[in-house]
Structure formats: structure tokens, C-alpha cells
Amino acid sequence: MDEYQDHSLGGKVFQKIRTDILNGRYKENDELRENTIGRELGVSRTPVREALRQLELEGLVTIFPNRGAYVTGISHKDIWDIYTMRSFLEGLCARWAAEHITDGQLGALEETIVLSEFQVNRESGFNTEQIAELDGRFHSALYEASGSRILCKVLTDFHNYVRIARRTSIDSEERARRSIREHRQILRALRERDGELAEQLANEHIMHVMQNLKKQGY
């Protein structure tokens, strides 16, 4: 599956359509026409058809015989299910990271936090997109530091599935600052190789995201 997604033409088309669904370009129940997508991406219908079948396996698309492919998307229940699972798995990830993290990975996390602090303090104003990108970079580095390829893959997929919700969760400067402070607390626990504390802080971080999403109407 991973090799297919990364290297084949169908895999590249898959990644493009998947990103467009998760970014909200395609909405729930939108029809995904093979001809239209093929023309847009400069490919034949065959790799588009392959990509749509893979997306159906992921649950993002439903294919109806003789009718076509339609976006299933990520429902609000899906988002809550994902965050609930993340509240446990991110803690496990942080605990394992405290055992396996390298100096280089600690430095990458520190750099991401410093850049986040710079962005949130810019005189030109708060930029949600840039903060969200750096938030994603922090979590990606944390997943990699766990030392578990499987856990990294699962959490990366979860992180991508809730892309729009993640942007919503840090749409205010107050919440963004709090999130960055929580990231720094997690980093401090990792530097001290305190797996128990890192796990607790990572769990609480996701719970705070869920609380903020609830305030936003999720």
C-alpha cells in the first residue's frame, strides 16, 4: 500500500485527491469524475480509477456501480473518534520518544517551537496557516522520535484526517500560544527523559484541543 502510494502514477494521483478531500476542496457527497480529474492532472482515466479505489479502501470515497465515485469525507463523529484515539496514542508516542529520541530530534522540536513563537509574536499579525503548519511539523517530529514505524504511520494518518479541524483548533492567538506552551512542556519532559510526564502532557495536550473544538461547535 505505502509503495503504491509513494511511487506509482496512481499513487501520486491518490495523494493529490486525498489531500484535496482532507483540505476541504472536495466536500461530502461531491462526485469525483474520472475524466475531469484526469484532465486537471494531465493523466488518463486509469490512474484516476486506481486512486479512487484506494480512496474507497480508506473510507474517504464511495464508489457506486454505474453511478460513479462520491466523497464520503470525514464526519464530525470521525473527528471525535480520531481525537479520542489520539489522546491515548500520542501519550504512548511521547513515552516511547522519551526513551528513543536523539539530540538531533530534540533540536528539530526546539527549532519548530522557536519558529512557532516567532510567528505568534509577529507584529504583522497572527497567521493561522503558518501556525498550523508548524504545529503539524512538531507532531510529525514527535511521531518519528517514538522509534516505532507503525505508531508513526497510524498517528500521521490520524493527523492528516483532521487537517481542517486542526486549523480550527488554533484559530485564536490565545489558543495558539497555549498550544505552543504545551509543546514546550512536552519537549522539556523529553529532554529530561521523563516518559511518564511526557505521556501525561501529550495526553492533556490532545484533550485541550478537543475542549477547544467543542467550543468551536464540533
Side-chain angles (χ1 to χ4, degrees), residues 132-188:
E133 192 276 330
L134 289 165
D135 175 82
R137 191 188 302 181
F138 177 89
H139 285 273
S140 293
L142 181 63
Y143 302 158
E144 183 179 344
S146 72
S148 169
R149 179 177 62 87
I150 301 300
L151 184 58
C152 181
K153 175 67 169 61
V154 170
L155 282 171
T156 297
D157 281 345
F158 281 169
H159 203 62
N160 287 331
Y161 288 160
V162 294
R163 194 170 297 175
I164 295 176
R166 286 196 294 110
R167 288 201 296 266
T168 302
S169 74
I170 52 173
D171 66 348
S172 72
E173 183 176 333
E174 178 185 359
R175 175 54 204 161
R177 288 183 182 279
R178 181 178 179 185
S179 179
I180 294 167
R181 287 197 300 271
E182 291 168 0
H183 285 176
R184 186 162 287 288
Q185 289 171 343
I186 293 169
L187 176 58
R188 188 176 301 115

Side-chain angles (χ1 to χ4, degrees), residues 16 19-27 30 40-41 164:
K16 178 63 169 67
T19 297
D20 286 344
I21 292 173
L22 296 176
N23 279 340
R25 180 187 175 195
Y26 295 124
K27 308 297 184 183
D30 280 355
E40 179 184 325
L41 300 181
I164 295 176

Side-chain angles (χ1 to χ4, degrees), residues 72-167:
T72 304
I74 301 293
S75 69
H76 278 204
K77 183 181 185 305
D78 293 333
I79 290 171
W80 279 106
D81 288 348
I82 288 169
Y83 270 107
T84 299
M85 288 184 281
R86 280 185 64 191
S87 69
F88 294 100
L89 292 179
E90 296 244 356
L92 176 63
C93 175
R95 176 181 283 274
W96 285 357
E99 300 171 4
H100 299 104
I101 197 164
T102 66
D103 289 342
Q105 289 168 333
L106 286 168
L109 289 171
E110 174 68 32
E111 179 183 11
T112 301
I113 292 173
V114 169
L115 287 172
S116 300
E117 291 169 340
F118 170 78
Q119 288 294 338
V120 83
N121 288 318
R122 289 180 62 184
E123 292 183 3
S124 58
F126 175 76
N127 188 306
T128 301
E129 290 296 326
Q130 291 173 333
I131 293 296
E133 192 276 330
L134 289 165
D135 175 82
R137 191 188 302 181
F138 177 89
H139 285 273
S140 293
L142 181 63
Y143 302 158
E144 183 179 344
S146 72
S148 169
R149 179 177 62 87
I150 301 300
L151 184 58
C152 181
K153 175 67 169 61
V154 170
L155 282 171
T156 297
D157 281 345
F158 281 169
H159 203 62
N160 287 331
Y161 288 160
V162 294
R163 194 170 297 175
I164 295 176
R166 286 196 294 110
R167 288 201 296 266

